[in-house]
Amino acid sequence: MSSHDTVHVDLGDRSYDVLIGEGLLAAAGRHIKPFLKLDRTIIVTDRNIAPLYLEALQHSLEQAGVASEAVILPPGDSTKDFANLQDLLNTLLSYGIERSTTLIALGGGMVGDITGFAAAILLRGIDYIQIPTSLLAQVDSSVGGKTAINAPHGKNLIGAFHQPRLVLADTGALDTLPQRELLAGYAEVVKYGLIDDPEFFYWLEGHGAALCDGNPAARRHAVMTSCQAKADIVAGDERESGRRALLNFGHTFGHALEAESGFSDILLHGEGVAIGMAMAFDISVLMGLCSAEDAARVHRHFGSIGLETGLQPIQGMTWSPRVLLAHMGKDKKVKDGQLTFVLTRGIGQAFLNSDVREEDILTILKEAATG
Ligand code: GLY
C-alpha cells in the first residue's frame, strides 16, 4: 500500500487533488479509476520514461480493470514543438478517442505540457491526468493547468489553461532521475522559498543537500510544501492576472537563456530559472531594492547544491546581452510593450515590477556573461 499526502487545488468545479508519496505509480490504477469515464485510457510518455514506469502503470491500470495504449514521444524539451504536437494529435485521433477519453501524461514537464495541450484542444477539450516523474514536474509544471508547446519565438508561447483531473506525484520516481535533472527541478523548489516563504528557504539551506542526495523524508516535505504553495497561488489567480505571475520568478531571464540555447539540453529549464533568479536578486540589488547579503546568500545556496548562477560555465555558448534582451521582448509577460519582472526586497519578498531600465538589465546580463 502506498501512503501519501494530499494537496487540494481549489478551483470550483475544476478542483482536483495532488497526491504525493512513494509507491503511487504502483497503486495508480486504484487512484485513477474513479476519474475515468471509460474503461480504457491512453498514456503519453517518452522514450526515457517508458522503460522505467510504463509497464508498472499499465499493470496497475489493468488490475483496476482499465485497458491502456501508449504513445511514446522523443525525450527533451525540443519535442514541445508544432511537428511533434501534430504527430501526437494524429496518433491520438487514430486511436479513436472520444469526448469521454482521458489521457494520462507519464513523465517530466515536456510530456505533461504537450499532453495537457493536446487534451485541451482535442475534440475541444478532453480530460487528462498528470503522473509527473521529475522533480520539476512534481513541484511546478504538473500543477496549475498551464499547458503549452514552444514556438521559434519563445518558450511556451502556444498553449492553453487546462486543469488536470488528478495529479499523482510518486516521489519514489525521483530515485531514477538523473542528478542534473534533479538539480534543475530543485531550482523550482527554491523558488517557493524565495517568493514568499523565507522559513522554507532556510529549511532548504539545511536540508537541500539531503533532498538532492535522495533522502525520502526531505524530498516528500519539499514536494508537499511546494505543491501547497502552488495550489494556494493558483486557487487565487488561475489565469495569472496578478499574484500567479510571482511564480515566474527568474523566468524572464531564464526563458531568454533557454530560447538562445534553442531549448536544447545545453541549458535545462530549471538551470535557466536558477540563473534567472540569481539575476533577479542582482538586479534588485542594483536598483537599491534588496540587500547584497541576501543576494549573496542565494548565490551561495545554489552554488552549494551544484547549480550555476552565471553564464560562463555553460559549454558551447557565447552570450550577447543585446540578443538576450531581444528574446525578453518576445516573452509572454510583455504588456503594452513593457516587460514585467519579478523583483525582490529580500529572501521571501518577491514582487512584480514593470519599471526596470534597459541599461540595468544589460548590466546584469553582461556581469553574468563575464562572471
Ligand atoms: N510555472 C508557473 C505557473 O504555473 O504559473
Side-chain angles (χ1 to χ4, degrees), residues 140 143 146 191 230 240 244 247-248 251:
D140 185 30
V143 181
K146 277 190 181 175
K191 182 181 78 176
K230 178 136 193 193
E240 200 173 300
R244 182 164 182 173
L247 294 173
N248 298 326
H251 284 58

Side-chain angles (χ1 to χ4, degrees), residues 8-11 230-238:
H8 185 64
V9 185
D10 191 0
L11 288 167
K230 178 136 193 193
D232 292 345
I233 291 179
V234 168
D237 179 22
E238 183 185 9

